[in-house]
Amino acid sequence: MTDLSPEGIVKGMFDALNARDYARAAGAIAEHCEWVSIAAETLHRGPGPIVAGLREFVAAFPDWRAEVDRVTSAGPIVVVEWDSSGTFQRTFRGKEPNGKRFRRRGCSVADVEGGKIVRYKDYYDRVTLLGQLDLLDLL
């Protein structure tokens, strides 16, 4: 049985991404959702562009996984603390893969309405991530 609580929607999206089930991940995202990566200073709107960005990242780091450490919620607002890792195996944003591995911890804040994520903000240390991958020139 699917958990349709705000926590269940967000955790389900993480599960879908780890399973590479992009259709299921997109199904958790509202058409008007604003997805912001604070560290990368990017904004995507709607499930199509959001999932396309996630797919691009996972294509470069095919062993990527995000483990949910803790979920805290207050009504429709869900905070997820996560730990993710992956190995740079395919070209990403014009950079050739170097086999370097990263591990990053972060948190995300999601606002869930009507069973869909309508706002999402991702927080992590981008300098540490890019340093682990020898990609600091992307800053």
Side-chain angles (χ1 to χ4, degrees):
M1 184 171 181
T2 303
D3 181 355
L4 298 178
S5 69
E7 299 92 342
I9 299 294
V10 176
K11 285 171 47 178
M13 182 197 63
F14 274 86
D15 291 343
L17 291 172
N18 283 331
R20 309 301 188 255
D21 185 345
Y22 297 108
R24 185 166 51 114
I29 301 167
E31 286 298 321
H32 62 281
C33 178
E34 289 192 347
W35 185 292
V36 178
S37 171
I38 300 300
E41 298 179 331
T42 58
L43 166 67
H44 298 288
R45 287 190 176 93
I50 292 166
V51 170
L54 294 165
R55 286 179 83 121
E56 176 192 19
F57 186 83
V58 172
F61 302 88
D63 61 343
W64 173 86
R65 289 198 50 79
E67 302 301 329
V68 173
D69 293 331
R70 182 168 41 178
V71 178
T72 307
S73 66
I77 306 297
V78 179
V79 177
V80 179
E81 295 175 58
W82 47 262
D83 189 341
S84 72
S85 61
T87 308
F88 188 17
Q89 298 177 34
R90 296 197 183 107
T91 303
F92 182 66
R93 299 195 179 151
K95 299 295 181 180
E96 291 301 314
N98 59 19
K100 299 275 184 174
R101 187 159 178 77
F102 78 87
R103 178 175 179 225
R104 67 179 170 172
R105 294 184 53 74
C107 70
S108 301
V109 179
D111 190 351
V112 179
E113 294 175 3
K116 303 266 186 180
I117 299 167
V118 297
R119 277 176 292 288
Y120 188 94
K121 290 186 179 178
D122 219 8
Y123 300 88
Y124 62 92
D125 180 351
R126 186 168 186 231
V127 173
T128 298
L129 168 69
L130 295 176
Q132 292 175 58
L133 297 169
D134 288 335
L135 296 175
L136 287 172
D137 58 323
L138 287 177
L139 290 173

